[in-house]
Amino acid sequence: MTSSRTPCPCGLPEAYEECCGRFHAGTASAPTAERLMRSRYVAFVRRDGAYLLRTWHPRSRPARLDLDPAMRWTGLEILATEDGSAFHATGTVTFRASYRGGSLHERSRFERVDGAWAYVDGDFLE
């Protein structure tokens, strides 16, 4: 369990409750594609499948999501962002998410749906 003094797993210095926790709880929406990507990473860390599905674009959302309980995510590095601010309708975030035994390098695409950012899909990179 994350204490209020521990930085959020997304890599920003705020505590989970003030950072991604408010997005997970539904009391706030991610203001940028990058913040949505960070909150989705934390949802993988916490195995919050409901949040992942809720923030997935309707046209690419899977019917269900099976999260591996043995997966241990260990860090997130944002490598690049393109668009994805309050002034954009689309954006991309390139990141590396580390897990015990390896890492995932992806360029993710995001679009706004009814004003809120949603994950569309991504390309795995080398």
Side-chain angles (χ1 to χ4, degrees):
M1 192 56 78
T2 305
S3 86
S4 60
R5 285 181 227 114
T6 303
C8 188
C10 80
L12 295 176
E14 295 94 354
Y16 168 76
E17 292 78 11
E18 290 82 45
C19 194
C20 294
R22 60 200 174 106
F23 305 142
H24 294 171
T27 58
S29 295
T32 65
E34 179 184 332
R35 288 301 295 260
L36 179 64
M37 200 260 110
R38 287 179 180 276
S39 71
R40 286 176 57 82
Y41 167 80
V42 175
F44 276 103
V45 170
R46 298 174 65 90
R47 290 189 282 289
D48 184 348
Y51 180 78
L52 292 166
L53 290 171
R54 191 167 71 243
T55 57
W56 215 306
H57 197 289
R59 77 168 178 264
S60 58
R61 180 186 305 132
R64 55 182 278 213
L65 192 59
D66 295 317
L67 299 175
D68 181 355
M71 180 66 97
R72 295 292 178 257
W73 295 97
T74 59
L76 176 66
E77 181 184 6
I78 302 298
L79 303 172
T81 59
E82 191 173 318
D83 297 338
S85 78
F87 304 104
H88 299 107
T90 63
T92 61
V93 179
T94 304
F95 67 92
R96 182 173 288 109
S98 299
Y99 56 88
R100 194 174 302 147
S103 68
L104 169 74
H105 187 191
E106 181 178 313
R107 181 181 303 112
S108 296
R109 283 179 284 283
F110 298 87
E111 290 180 14
R112 286 189 182 273
V113 175
D114 297 327
W117 285 107
Y119 170 78
V120 177
D121 60 18
D123 296 319
F124 295 115
L125 307 172
E126 293 299 318

